[in-house]
Amino acid sequence: MAERHDAISVIVTKRDGGTLSDDQIDWVVDAYTRGVVADEQMSALTMAILQRGMSRSEIARWTAAMIASGERLDFTDLGVPTADKHSTGGVGDKITLPLAPLVAAYGVAVPQLSGRGLGHTGGTLDKLESIPGWRADVSNADMRQQLLDVGAVICAAGAQLAPADKKLYALRDVTGTVESIPMISASIMSKKIAEGTGALVLDVKVGTGAFMKNIDDARELARTMVALGTDAGVVTTALLTDMSTPLGRGIGNALEVTESVEVLAGGGPADVVELTVELARAMLEGAGVTGVDPSEALKDGRAMDKWRQMISAQGGDPDAPMPTAPHVEEVCADSDGFITRIDAMGAGLAAWRLGAGRARKDDVLDLSAGVFLHKTLGDEVRKGDVIMTLHAESEDKMPRGLAALSEACEGAGTVEIGSSPVDRRIILDRIGAEDASGTGR
Ligand code: URA
């Protein structure tokens, strides 16, 4: 069958600053998924998009074309509202783990399709795989049943969910074209809309450890995604949240599960609790549940009960001990003062090099590896106090972890000790549908 467009004319349209027609977008996304448009042609097109941008209507059409490349789940007949959260990725960001059972404790079902980590930010599925027996792969039928029985499921997206995005994201990853707000927006929202959630809260991270290093870019990304979700009938809001410092104390798969369980038991670090509660509130509001205080279900054990059911339903043992690293090395304060910086990128890279993250898709993780922060931003320290410990399977990983810490911030290092305390604001802004209009380029 003759193709109705050719890749070169689509590339040239965008290369020269033109607007792609709906038909060009539908064709190129579909033809790339079918293998008719070659990787090198799609690389040229994504580079042109990165440099020239896309209008809001091009982004919306691109998103719709990626959704149409696969299946679209539908939970409208479950009999309960549904809500989900997506984070653009950060260091120590384990929030999904306590959040999904917390929201389910209020009768809102959470169908959370998550991913694996690549690079310095971890993936939710990798974290949960620290729990002996836990399985990420759940069929659509089992997912539906678990939503009915438990109210929350965190699992891998099936191969049929936005396959165009799977292929395209892998290509962007190796061609220096990930950092395009239009393509990030379309990539995230195609998966979230296809997943069939009724409400969606986006946690758009800002800072050294995030995709978006400054608040203006983060706001543009948030507005674009909120508009896409709203136009697709998903009640969508975004929180812009700080990622200049890691979230919580544990960075690394098992360390993050342990910390999440502490939060579910009513404890845990204040920043993790605050963000979990605020995201839960936004998800519940999106799903029509208002006037509740989500911190209650952390304190009274309801969220913990849901967590235990959710883990058991996927074969995991919620009582099994977490893997622990045989080698631990301390990093100590070299002066008295207050911690004025713990750089998220430095800490994330250190955890990655210790074995907590992958450089290539098929790398095997050390689930016990990572960084644990004994002191955090604003804490007072005395010379010699332990600021953090590095955890790894083998001692020879330590030098690379330590080097990552000292290379951060252009050689100034991950940790800075100053003479006066600093405060941290976690939630920087909130973007609702009413804030999301704009042009998108
Ligand atoms: N996460 C995604 O799913 N897609 C992107 O393009 C970037 C981050």
Side-chain angles (χ1 to χ4, degrees), residues 325-332 354 370-372 374 386-392 394-399 402 405:
H327 295 279
V328 176
E329 183 144 337
E330 295 177 341
V331 175
C332 299
L354 291 165
V371 173
F372 187 84
H374 297 265
V386 178
I387 296 182
M388 62 178 89
T389 41
L390 309 192
H391 298 234
S394 74
E395 218 165 343
D396 34 288
K397 295 267 173 57
M398 293 299 176
L402 288 166
L405 291 176

Side-chain angles (χ1 to χ4, degrees), residues 35-198:
V36 168
V37 168
D39 277 347
E40 55 271 29
Q41 294 174 311
M42 196 47 132
S43 309
L45 179 59
T46 53
M47 187 58 81
I49 293 172
L50 179 96
Q51 294 188 333
R52 295 291 194 172
M54 285 205 275
S55 68
R56 279 282 175 87
S57 59
E58 285 176 293
I59 303 170
R61 192 70 183 202
W62 191 279
T63 307
M66 294 212 289
I67 296 169
S69 71
E71 67 184 352
R72 193 164 173 173
L73 306 183
D74 182 359
F75 298 114
T76 48
D77 60 346
L78 277 187
V80 285
T82 50
D84 190 13
K85 183 250 352 181
H86 178 84
S87 157
T88 57
V91 176
D93 184 2
K94 70 277 295 172
I95 303 290
T96 294
L97 277 57
L99 181 64
L102 174 58
V103 171
Y106 290 90
V108 172
V110 183
Q112 167 94 48
L113 298 179
S114 292
R116 296 185 188 282
L118 194 64
H120 73 283
T121 62
T124 297
L125 302 181
D126 299 322
K127 294 172 202 198
L128 286 166
E129 276 173 352
S130 312
I131 302 172
W134 186 86
R135 290 184 315 267
D137 291 318
V138 175
S139 69
N140 288 352
D142 288 349
M143 184 178 179
R144 171 176 291 274
Q145 195 57 47
Q146 190 170 324
L147 287 173
L148 286 168
D149 296 344
V150 179
V153 56
I154 303 174
C155 63
Q160 274 319 304
L161 198 101
D165 178 64
K166 282 203 177 66
K167 197 170 172 192
L168 190 56
Y169 193 13
L171 182 79
R172 289 166 53 218
D173 199 38
V174 293
T175 54
T177 53
V178 168
E179 290 88 352
S180 146
I181 290 177
M183 281 188 290
I184 296 174
S185 307
S187 169
I188 292 172
M189 293 308 293
S190 62
K191 289 173 284 204
K192 289 290 151 184
I193 295 167
E195 171 196 274
T197 185

Side-chain angles (χ1 to χ4, degrees), residues 310-370:
M310 181 181 86
I311 296 302
S312 304
Q314 288 169 246
D317 176 0
D319 297 313
M322 286 292 111
T324 50
H327 295 279
V328 176
E329 183 144 337
E330 295 177 341
V331 175
C332 299
D334 56 9
S335 58
D336 294 351
F338 295 90
I339 307 249
T340 49
R341 178 176 70 235
I342 297 207
D343 182 62
M345 185 56 117
L349 283 178
W352 179 21
R353 290 191 187 164
L354 291 165
R358 343 182 141 70
R360 279 178 304 270
K361 273 203 181 68
D362 42 10
D363 285 350
V364 177
L365 298 179
D366 168 8
L367 295 170
S368 67

Side-chain angles (χ1 to χ4, degrees), residues 242 244-245 339-342 375-379 422-424:
D242 176 60
S244 53
T245 293
I339 307 249
T340 49
R341 178 176 70 235
I342 297 207
K375 301 283 180 192
T376 190
L377 201 68
D379 283 355
V422 288
D423 277 339
R424 181 182 187 196

